[in-house]
Amino acid sequence: MNRRTFLRGACGVMLGLPLLESLRPRDAKADPASAPRRFIAFFMCNGVNMAKFFPSTQYGALTAASFGATRAIAPLAAYRDKLLIPRGIHMAPRGYGFDPSAGDDHAKGMGCKLTAQPLVQGSQYAAGISLDQFIANKLNPPGTPALTLMVGSKTPNVRGHISYTASEAPVSGENNPWLAYRDLVGGTDLEEEALVRLTKRRESVLDLVSVEYEALLKKKLSKADRDKLEMHFQTVRDLEVGMGGTGIIPRELSPERAAEIEAIDPDTVAFDAEFKKVGRMQMDILALAIATGATRAATLQWGSGAAGPIFKWDGMAHEYNHHKLSHGNTRDDDTGSAVDGYEEMLFNIDRWYVGEYVYLLDRLAGYEEGGATVLDNSAVVFMNELSDGKRHDFRDLPYIIAGSCGGYFKTGQYIKVTRQSSTVQDKDAPHNKLLTTFANAVGCTEEGGGPIANFGSFGEPGEFGELKA
């Protein structure tokens, strides 16, 4: 359990304190000095072009040849030593009506992916907590949920949600970057003057917690604790004076980037034309939140299930939205005509999403901590609602893991985790085992101690040991 002490100022600013023996419960033990480990889900909808997605090389070490120009993962070539690509995982509960659950395959692909729970008849929302919120409950400061962000239009049902705080309790992802940024820097419901101070950093963080600091000094502290506290505050002050290269990460973006985010039009934020711009803003905010310790878990959801934008940027000039193209049809219900060349369009969409995934990895790799980066201490998971969207297939799901999560995962590897000859199978390797592995990778434990044994109510207990370092 994290027992670190914080001072919280009137504007919502928190400042971490050194361990003070005078305030420590008698049974508390200091945590080992190590960087926090984090979980991030980068989530797309409607499946991928399976024929061109995975590496073109054999299982084992990833090489330059694994990321050839005909592969959707080609933009990831520079990160190959930090990647882990598992193969042969199927969703649990299974689609096609194989396991008891409400909802169609799209609904299950959204509601079950981070919960490994069935959908409830009636609401069709998931019957349990999602991994991101589970991690937040275990590792975040009390009352601090996982960060839940979205890009694009939000469907007001199970297809528009991937995060859950409890059974039938979906979390609506924030798709307005300015609201997300204000909340991150402590700007929710603040007076305008306080918001300006925070976003422009016109006051020291120590000034913002000065009242709480004075109250702390009035407590019965030992001389050693008083000396330690004074040294800590003087160090923070010195670092604020010369912030460059100190390793301290202020919880703010540059004034220019913050101004761009503030200028976003709330009335058009969900429009297709804003999809790329909003997505990059959300990734800047997400990386900042993770790097500054605002949360240990986050999700970024691109679009809603059975929907998605019409891609008309970065060389794409499509006529139909993502879902229609996933079926190669001009109508969502497949009653229209075939779309010529839809497979190549899907490939271009997949490659575009992978490029945006690279953008997020770049942001996380840009934050250093100790002898590593925030990316090294995270598991950033590229995942999709389905595998083959045309078939609504729940098997051989496309996963990419970036970052070793502090050395927990093997990296630079392409690994088959099913024992079956074909990766398109549902006999073993259920995805709840991957969720369990992530829960343990970031440091979650059972209530009585020990590793998480099983996440979700479908699948199999245990981890994917093949993926561990």
Side-chain angles (χ1 to χ4, degrees):
M1 181 177 178
N2 185 357
R3 297 183 181 273
R4 190 180 183 191
T5 304
F6 293 86
L7 288 188
R8 183 185 291 272
C11 295
V13 171
M14 290 197 300
L15 176 67
L17 298 177
L19 182 66
L20 303 178
E21 296 293 334
S22 303
L23 302 182
R24 185 163 68 104
R26 294 185 182 276
D27 62 344
K29 296 181 180 179
D31 293 330
S34 62
R37 290 169 281 160
R38 302 89 160 186
F39 170 81
I40 302 168
F42 183 103
F43 190 101
M44 293 75 54
C45 304
N46 303 312
V48 300
N49 181 337
M50 292 291 286
K52 293 187 173 183
F53 187 83
F54 287 101
S56 54
T57 49
Q58 298 297 312
Y59 299 117
L62 291 166
T63 67
S66 304
F67 302 87
T70 62
R71 302 289 94 193
I73 62 173
L76 280 165
Y79 279 101
R80 72 172 188 259
D81 292 338
K82 295 183 181 293
L83 301 179
L84 175 59
I85 303 179
R87 191 73 188 269
I89 298 173
H90 72 81
M91 194 177 73
R94 297 172 297 170
Y96 300 168
F98 288 171
D99 287 326
S101 172
D104 61 18
D105 292 324
H106 276 294
K108 292 174 187 174
M110 303 299 295
C112 306
K113 193 64 84 258
L114 286 176
T115 64
Q117 296 280 359
L119 305 184
V120 178
Q121 194 68 44
S123 73
Q124 291 199 359
Y125 285 122
I129 192 170
S130 57
L131 177 64
D132 56 315
Q133 301 296 346
F134 176 82
I135 292 171
N137 286 350
K138 292 280 188 179
L139 303 179
N140 279 358
T144 305
L147 179 65
T148 311
L149 300 178
M150 187 170 182
V151 184
S153 181
K154 191 184 312 180
T155 302
N157 56 34
V158 64
R159 295 179 180 180
H161 301 81
I162 60 173
S163 182
Y164 289 78
T165 57
S167 178
E168 299 184 87
V171 180
S172 186
E174 179 56 69
N175 67 352
N176 185 329
W178 174 237
L179 297 181
Y181 185 59
R182 284 190 57 174
D183 187 56
L184 174 62
V185 300
T188 303
D189 298 327
L190 289 182
E191 296 290 338
E192 185 63 27
E193 180 183 356
L195 180 61
V196 169
R197 294 206 317 260
L198 284 167
T199 57
K200 303 302 183 184
R201 203 174 183 83
R202 292 178 180 173
E203 288 190 23
S204 162
V205 66
L206 299 185
D207 294 333
L208 293 172
V209 297
S210 60
V211 174
E212 291 74 17
Y213 175 55
E214 294 298 327
L216 180 61
L217 289 178
K218 292 179 181 179
K219 295 181 179 291
K220 294 182 179 180
L221 301 178
S222 67
K223 182 179 184 303
D225 278 346
R226 286 182 178 276
D227 291 344
K228 186 186 298 183
L229 193 61
E230 182 179 348
M231 180 182 298
H232 178 69
F233 269 60
Q234 186 58 51
T235 299
V236 172
R237 180 75 75 185
D238 291 344
L239 291 176
E240 286 189 326
V241 172
M243 188 65 71
T246 64
I248 292 284
I249 303 171
R251 191 169 293 173
E252 62 179 12
L253 297 172
S254 69
E256 295 78 15
R257 188 56 164 162
E260 290 174 350
I261 292 173
E262 183 177 6
I264 197 78
D265 185 347
D267 294 328
T268 64
V269 71
F271 287 10
D272 290 359
E274 303 280 25
F275 200 73
K276 178 178 178 179
K277 179 171 72 174
V278 167
R280 294 206 165 186
M281 289 178 175
Q282 298 286 54
M283 288 188 285
D284 286 349
I285 294 166
L286 188 156
L288 181 67
I290 289 290
T292 58
T295 183
R296 298 275 291 275
T299 60
L300 178 62
Q301 178 184 339
W302 297 80
S304 296
I310 300 174
F311 287 83
K312 291 183 178 293
W313 54 86
D314 290 347
M316 295 177 285
H318 300 166
E319 183 178 355
Y320 303 101
N321 75 6
H322 191 191
H323 178 247
K324 291 180 177 69
L325 292 180
S326 73
H327 285 265
N329 201 279
T330 60
R331 294 180 63 87
D332 288 306
D333 61 2
D334 282 348
T335 61
S337 57
V339 178
D340 292 336
Y342 77 92
E343 296 97 335
E344 190 67 15
M345 296 178 195
L346 291 177
F347 168 67
N348 289 331
I349 291 173
D350 297 342
R351 187 167 52 183
W352 183 83
Y353 273 127
V354 172
E356 297 310 291
Y357 181 55
V358 170
Y359 181 92
L360 177 58
L361 302 187
D362 288 344
R363 301 283 80 73
L364 295 166
Y367 291 109
E368 296 184 359
E369 50 187 11
T373 69
V374 170
L375 174 60
D376 294 323
N377 292 313
S378 302
V380 189
V381 191
F382 183 103
M383 60 175 63
N384 203 297
E385 168 197 355
L386 302 163
S387 54
D388 184 331
K390 189 170 187 177
R391 300 178 61 189
H392 284 187
D393 209 332
F394 64 92
R395 302 166 299 176
D396 203 12
L397 293 168
Y399 283 108
I400 304 171
I401 304 167
S404 69
C405 208
Y408 199 86
F409 289 107
K410 294 177 183 176
T411 53
Q413 297 289 315
Y414 178 34
I415 299 177
K416 181 184 175 188
V417 296
T418 175
R419 296 185 300 274
Q420 311 307 310
S421 58
S422 172
T423 54
V424 184
Q425 60 82 41
D426 63 349
K427 304 300 182 185
D428 60 9
H431 94 285
N432 79 297
K433 292 184 67 174
L434 186 61
L435 300 182
T436 301
T437 311
F438 287 137
N440 288 318
V442 297
C444 293
T445 59
E446 298 282 5
E447 291 301 324
I452 302 299
N454 187 31
F455 188 85
S457 61
F458 276 83
E460 301 172 6
E463 298 179 293
F464 281 128
E466 308 95 319
L467 305 181
K468 297 170 62 176

